[in-house]
Amino acid sequence: MSFASEVLTYQDALATLGDRRKHVLLGNGFSIACDPVFKYGRLYDAAVSAGLSPRAQNVFDYLGTSNFEGVMRLLDDAHWVAETYELVRGRSQMLDDVDIVKKTLVDAIANSHLEHTGKVPDEKKAAALEFLSPYYNVFTTNYDLLVYWVNMHRREGPIWGDGFREDEDEPDSLYVVFSERLGGQRGMFYLHGALHLYTAGGELRKHTWKRTGTPLTHLIKAGLANKEYPMFVAEGSAKKKLEQIQRNGYLWYALDKLARIEGPLVVFGLSLGDSDSHITQALADNVNMPAILVGLHGDPKSAVNQAIHASVAKMMARRQDLVKRRHRGKTLEVVYYDSATAKAWG
């Protein structure tokens, strides 16, 4: 069998799973399939293009990550320390750079994201909802708002819960808070955070349109002005990503949820590269996950798709070694499909 002929259509690949409970893992390819604007997939790169200062870029380099939240908080804290020790008086260059980072982040959001859900035609949201509906849990590495918009598009109410509820202490608040784990309920999990999630008052909050009547992108920008920085793990090494995830209760919960699924997993729009090795290792180590369907975009022999094959081969070898050593679990069944045939957005 040739390399190319091993790639099935999406429907044929899905049929190999039968009626087993299945889950989906989305990458940036899902967003790009909606609109080319999401090719600005990395906020840091978009921010550099939007004018992020070289001095601020050095702070990102020092942290070894492109975590906007971490950089802004580091600069805020550094200014506080310097002011406390009377090393500066009044406004410092650090606060100037906080403003620069905020401005470029807002610019990046404006340039990388559709302004509101109405910018995605209803028929496309309906098609995406149909694409995602067979899956019990939806996991996404994307920080954009698309899966949220799709989930909210259903007239009868969202299919997937996310664990956010009204604040018991502030029931009339304009936000909701992460307050419960979903257990066996269908769920939507943001593995790397999302632009509409932020930490304040010692809790993880979520911006909502329902309570405010204001588009989420506007709430995000207003939140930045109030130091309510979006919670997300942007591009960086897998080690740095995992460190950030381990320091955040929600992110660790979401990754752990992925690491414990018992049904097959469909991967759409994710390259499974070295920067996501924290995910591939979690999947390989989950000996109860029997199969994975991996989408390939374009020429199956392209360098990107060959790299995906190599990454999957490592996952299979890791799983096989683990099953052999533990004397339990399942070897990993792998099926490749042509992601273009999935028609995720119609």
Side-chain angles (χ1 to χ4, degrees):
M1 183 178 289
S2 69
F3 184 82
S5 62
E6 295 174 355
V7 181
L8 305 180
T9 66
Y10 171 72
Q11 291 299 334
D12 286 345
L14 207 59
T16 67
L17 302 181
D19 59 358
R20 290 180 289 180
R21 177 181 291 184
K22 46 193 172 288
H23 314 273
V24 67
L25 170 60
L26 305 174
N28 195 50
F30 176 76
S31 300
I32 293 174
C34 173
D35 195 294
V37 70
F38 289 100
K39 289 184 178 180
Y40 285 106
R42 295 173 58 183
L43 275 179
Y44 178 73
D45 287 346
V48 170
S49 299
L52 186 66
S53 71
R55 187 171 58 198
Q57 291 178 50
N58 287 337
V59 180
F60 280 101
D61 292 341
Y62 173 78
L63 290 180
T65 180
S66 49
N67 185 337
F68 282 86
E69 179 185 19
V71 167
M72 287 188 280
R73 287 186 173 171
L74 176 62
L75 291 171
D76 276 332
D77 291 346
H79 170 80
W80 181 88
V81 171
E83 191 174 45
T84 299
Y85 282 86
E86 299 183 351
L87 300 176
V88 297
R89 292 183 179 179
R91 187 171 183 84
S92 68
Q93 292 181 334
M94 290 167 283
L95 290 185
D96 290 340
D97 277 357
V98 169
D99 287 344
I100 292 173
V101 174
K102 287 179 181 178
K103 180 182 181 303
T104 52
L105 177 56
V106 171
D107 288 345
I109 291 173
N111 292 328
S112 303
H113 209 291
L114 303 175
E115 185 178 4
H116 54 78
T117 184
K119 295 293 185 179
V120 181
D122 285 348
E123 57 269 25
K124 294 185 74 170
K125 290 195 287 280
L129 187 63
E130 182 178 357
F131 168 70
L132 295 176
S133 291
Y135 301 110
Y136 199 80
N137 289 312
V138 176
F139 299 91
T140 177
T141 61
N142 300 332
Y143 44 75
D144 60 56
L145 306 173
L146 291 181
V147 291
Y148 175 81
W149 288 344
V150 170
N151 195 23
M152 299 303 293
H153 180 67
R154 185 169 175 264
R155 185 183 299 272
E156 298 82 359
I159 295 177
W160 302 274
D162 59 11
F164 286 85
R165 299 290 184 270
E166 70 175 29
D167 191 334
E168 293 182 358
D169 297 327
E170 298 286 344
D172 296 325
S173 63
L174 299 179
Y175 56 84
V176 290
V177 299
F178 182 69
S179 59
E180 68 176 23
R181 302 196 172 195
L182 296 172
Q185 300 177 44
R186 300 181 74 173
M188 181 170 285
F189 304 93
Y190 301 93
L191 296 174
H192 290 163
L195 292 174
H196 60 313
L197 307 182
Y198 65 98
T199 301
E203 59 191 4
L204 179 62
R205 299 175 179 176
K206 182 177 77 172
H207 292 298
T208 68
W209 175 87
K210 185 176 182 180
R211 286 174 167 250
T212 63
T214 302
L216 292 184
T217 52
H218 296 186
L219 293 173
I220 291 164
K221 294 174 184 179
L224 284 170
N226 198 35
K227 298 186 178 180
E228 295 170 351
Y229 307 126
M231 182 195 75
F232 60 85
V233 181
E235 294 294 330
S237 69
K239 179 181 177 181
K240 289 292 184 181
K241 284 182 178 179
L242 185 58
E243 287 175 355
Q244 293 177 41
I245 290 169
Q246 289 173 332
R247 290 195 296 266
N248 184 289
Y250 169 81
L251 295 175
W252 184 241
Y253 162 63
L255 181 61
D256 183 62
K257 190 78 172 180
L258 177 66
R260 291 185 292 107
I261 59 174
E262 296 186 357
L265 178 71
V266 176
V267 178
F268 183 91
L270 187 64
S271 65
L272 301 173
D274 289 342
S275 64
D276 290 321
S277 63
H278 58 298
I279 291 176
T280 58
Q281 289 180 13
L283 295 174
D285 292 350
N286 180 5
V287 296
N288 294 317
M289 186 191 74
I292 182 170
L293 272 57
V294 180
L296 301 178
H297 179 69
D299 182 1
K301 297 183 180 180
S302 70
V304 171
N305 287 330
Q306 288 184 22
I308 291 175
H309 272 271
S311 180
V312 172
K314 290 180 182 178
M315 291 173 61
M316 296 174 67
R318 184 181 177 101
R319 169 71 67 83
Q320 187 173 10
D321 179 65
L322 193 59
V323 170
K324 183 178 180 180
R325 287 190 286 110
R326 293 183 178 179
H327 303 288
R328 67 177 182 86
K330 307 176 180 74
T331 56
L332 186 60
E333 176 188 353
V334 177
V335 176
Y336 292 100
Y337 68 92
D338 179 359
S339 61
T341 63
K343 301 188 183 303
W345 294 92

